Amino acid sequence: MTDVETGIGPGRAEGARRVGRQPASSRTEIEHVAFQLFDEQGFEQTTVDDIAAAVGIARRTFFSYFPSKNDVPWGSFDQELVRFRAVLETMPPDLPVLEAVRRAVMEFNTVPPAEQPWHRRRLALILGTPALQAHSTLRYAEWRQVIVEFAAPRLGVAESSIDVQSIAYTALAVAIAAYDVWLRDDEGDLLDLLDRAFRTVAPGPGRAARPGA
């Protein structure tokens, strides 16, 4: 899954607001307005000042929600990592590690129906915006680290071991593959694609293949 942008520019006065729009009152509102600007103007051409003006907030208020423009596509990523870690911790101790990771990744990507179009736009920005790739690499590393910290004690090996690192990198690759296919198929179901991708990598004993899979 933003943290993937950095827009700097002269500050805008607190009262300089776009006519007809009420001030944004939440991180989600700011994200949605920013996504619209990215669609209209392009990610690199949109500045923090543009976003702040469009939502009717001061530039400094934007930075109270996001460290940079690059972080907007990642949304509440830090909080989601906390949730990701918590879900992994609930997995039964006898469950195979990759199966536990599969279940947690599915939960990580479960969003309310009303938010799915925004989730799609978020992923499209993260995966398709060259200017975000360096920042995304840092976020991917944080995501993998959650898996590493879960898998290492389960397997009784060091976090740096090839066993653990392979699981973390494989899970990321599988997730990105599912995202990529989903973004190219308007009728696709992300959770189904994630499930099928993980089953392809590690079907697991007793996991029946779906009809037509």
Side-chain angles (χ1 to χ4, degrees):
M1 107 240 268
T2 253
D3 45 45
V4 262
E5 312 79 278
T6 30
I8 311 296
R12 181 179 293 271
E14 178 82 45
R17 294 171 176 164
R18 179 173 290 183
V19 174
R21 180 183 293 278
Q22 294 300 310
S25 59
S26 73
R27 174 190 293 267
T28 299
E29 290 178 80
I30 295 172
E31 287 178 25
H32 290 183
V33 172
F35 287 176
Q36 188 62 40
L37 289 176
F38 297 154
D39 286 346
E40 295 171 357
Q41 303 176 180
F43 179 81
E44 294 189 67
Q45 289 72 33
T46 302
T47 67
V48 167
D49 289 327
D50 292 335
I51 298 169
V55 297
I57 59 174
R59 187 171 184 271
R60 65 176 175 273
T61 302
F62 171 92
F63 288 115
S64 72
Y65 285 97
F66 300 98
S68 71
K69 185 183 70 165
N70 287 346
D71 288 291
V72 174
W74 289 95
S76 303
F77 188 72
D78 291 335
Q79 292 93 318
E80 288 301 304
L81 288 184
V82 171
R83 184 170 71 91
F84 190 30
R85 183 175 284 106
V87 170
L88 283 167
E89 290 173 353
T90 68
M91 295 298 163
D94 59 342
L95 196 66
V97 170
L98 195 55
E99 171 61 13
V101 171
R102 181 193 71 84
R103 296 184 186 185
V105 171
M106 298 278 285
E107 175 64 26
F108 186 78
N109 284 276
T110 298
V111 298
E115 280 299 308
Q116 287 195 10
W118 298 104
H119 192 47
R120 182 183 288 270
R121 292 171 79 171
R122 181 188 312 284
L123 290 171
L125 275 167
I126 292 170
L127 297 180
T129 306
L132 294 180
Q133 296 314 299
H135 192 72
S136 294
T137 297
L138 299 176
R139 288 303 200 179
Y140 293 153
E142 294 170 353
W143 190 88
R144 291 197 313 271
Q145 184 60 26
V146 172
I147 295 175
V148 165
E149 292 172 3
F150 164 76
R154 290 271 180 135
L155 297 177
V157 297
E159 292 184 1
S160 59
S161 74
I162 187 62
D163 309 85
V164 169
Q165 292 296 324
S166 294
I167 290 171
Y169 273 93
T170 296
L172 178 63
V174 164
I176 290 176
Y179 297 155
D180 183 64
V181 172
W182 185 54
L183 291 173
R184 290 186 279 109
D185 180 6
D186 292 339
E187 302 301 320
D189 180 271
L190 178 56
L191 296 183
D192 177 68
L193 290 168
L194 285 166
D195 183 49
R196 292 175 62 185
F198 270 99
R199 289 191 298 110
T200 298
V201 172
R207 189 184 301 166
R210 298 181 180 181

